[in-house]
Amino acid sequence: PLGFIGGIGKASKKGILVKGSDYLEALNNVSIAAFDKTGTLTKGTYNVTKVLPASGFSENYLLEIAAYAEAYATHPIAKSILRAYGKDIDFNRIEETEEIAGQGIRASVQGKKVLIGNRKMMEGAGITPSQVTENGTVIDVAVDGIFTGSLIISDEVKEDSLSALKRLKTLGVRELVMLTGDKRSVAEEVGKKLGIDRIYSELLPDQKVEIVEQLLREKPEKTTLMFVGDGMNDAPVLALADIGIAMGKLGSDAAIEAADVVILTDEPSRLPALIEIARKTHRIVEENIILAISIKVLIMTFGAAGIAGMWMAVFADVGVMLVAVLNSFRILK
C-alpha cells in the first residue's frame, strides 16, 4: 500500500489527482486511448471567425439572436458567440431556453422561436440549412422555422497535444481514438494533425457510449481502455471506460465526479507522465513484495535449522518494513 501511496503522491505533485490505487495499477496496461476533442485535445477557446446570414437577414441580427439564445449556456461555443456579440444581454427578452443534448438549444426570445445548433437539429425540425465549406464548427440558426444563417466557430489544438500523443504511442498504447460531436471535416482536420488512428465524428452522447462499449470488446485481454474528456456529455463514457480521465480546469463538475483521474492543469502532456509514474510504482511495489517474501522465507528456513536468533526475526519483520518504506520513497524522486 505504501508504494501506491507514493505513486499517488508523485502524481499529485504533477497536478494529477488519482482517486485510488486500482486506477494507478490499471494504467500499466493501456492498449487503447480514446479522447474527446473540444477542451481535451483542443483549447476549447472558440472564436467566431465568420458570420454567414441567410438572404434577407443581416450579420448583426444573426449574431444578436444567436447570443440571446445562448445567453444561459456555459459551453465554450456559447461564450464565443457572446464575445462576438459584444453587447449586454437583456435577460427580460428571453422567455425560455431548453438544451437538446448533442444538438443545440431551443429558445424563445420575445415571442420568436429560435433554434441554434448543428445540422441534425435543423433537419429534425424540417429546416434545410445552407451548405458551408469553410473549416470550423458550423452553428446554424433558425427563427420561427426559417433558416436565418450560420456562424463559423474555430478552435485551436493545444500546444502539447501532438507531443503527448506521440509519447503515448512510444509507451506502448496501440491505438488512439477520437470521439467528437463536431462535423466530420473539423474532426478529420484535427485528427490528421495529431496522428489519431480512428476518428468518430457528429456523435450524440449515447453514440459515444456505444462506441466505447465496442472498443471495450475489441481491446486485447488483460489490457485497459483509457478515455479522456472534459464535458458533461462525457460523464457516461468516463464512468464506462476502464480508466476515465477528466480535464479538471475547464471540465464540468459531472465529468470530474465520474472520472477516476483528474488532470488539474488540463495538459495532455500529463497523460504519458501519469503512465510513467504508474509503471515506476508497479516496479517498486513488485520489488517490495519480492524483497519481503524472500527475506521472510530465508529467515524461516534458518529458524527451522535452529540458527535464527531474535535479532533476525526482528529484522524479518520491522527491518524489512523499513527497507520497503525507504524503497517506496524512490517514487517521489
Side-chain angles (χ1 to χ4, degrees), residues 207-330:
Q207 292 172 319
K208 281 188 177 183
V209 170
E210 289 172 7
I211 290 168
V212 168
E213 286 175 340
Q214 175 192 328
L215 293 173
L216 286 168
R217 290 191 294 269
E218 290 177 7
K219 69 181 176 67
E221 193 176 350
K222 295 183 180 178
T223 65
T224 54
L225 180 143
M226 173 178 80
F227 179 81
V228 190
D230 75 312
M232 185 180 294
N233 290 340
D234 296 324
V237 188
L238 287 165
L240 179 64
D242 294 320
I243 309 150
I245 301 179
M247 295 293 179
K249 195 173 180 180
L250 293 175
S252 71
D253 291 343
I256 292 167
E257 182 66 28
D260 308 311
V261 178
V262 180
I263 296 177
L264 302 176
T265 61
D266 282 5
E267 295 172 298
S269 57
R270 303 293 177 177
L271 294 167
L274 176 61
I275 290 177
E276 288 170 347
I277 290 168
R279 290 181 179 177
K280 185 174 182 182
T281 301
H282 182 79
R283 285 196 304 272
I284 288 177
V285 167
E286 279 190 334
E287 289 170 7
N288 285 345
I289 290 170
I290 292 168
L291 176 76
I293 291 175
S294 299
I295 290 177
K296 288 178 188 294
V297 168
L298 180 64
I299 293 178
M300 284 170 64
T301 304
F302 288 164
I307 57 174
M310 180 60 71
W311 70 268
M312 292 179 71
V314 171
F315 176 75
D317 183 28
V318 179
V320 169
M321 182 269 290
L322 290 173
V323 172
V325 168
L326 293 172
N327 195 33
S328 296
F329 274 117
R330 290 173 50 223

Side-chain angles (χ1 to χ4, degrees), residues 78-150:
K79 292 177 181 177
S80 72
I81 293 172
L82 291 167
R83 277 199 309 273
Y85 178 56
K87 300 176 184 177
D88 292 333
I89 298 292
D90 180 4
F91 287 93
N92 293 322
R93 293 175 60 186
I94 306 168
E95 292 154 11
E96 62 175 330
T97 61
E98 178 189 1
E99 185 171 348
I100 311 300
Q103 295 189 24
I105 288 176
R106 182 186 294 121
S108 179
V109 181
Q110 281 192 317
K112 296 182 182 294
K113 301 297 180 184
V114 182
L115 295 178
I116 178 167
N118 57 25
R119 193 175 187 88
K120 285 182 182 177
M121 187 180 202
M122 296 295 130
E123 291 174 348
I127 300 165
T128 304
S130 300
Q131 291 290 338
V132 176
T133 57
E134 285 87 350
N135 283 330
T137 299
V138 180
I139 304 297
D140 295 315
V141 183
V143 179
D144 290 334
I146 300 170
F147 176 66
T148 310
S150 301

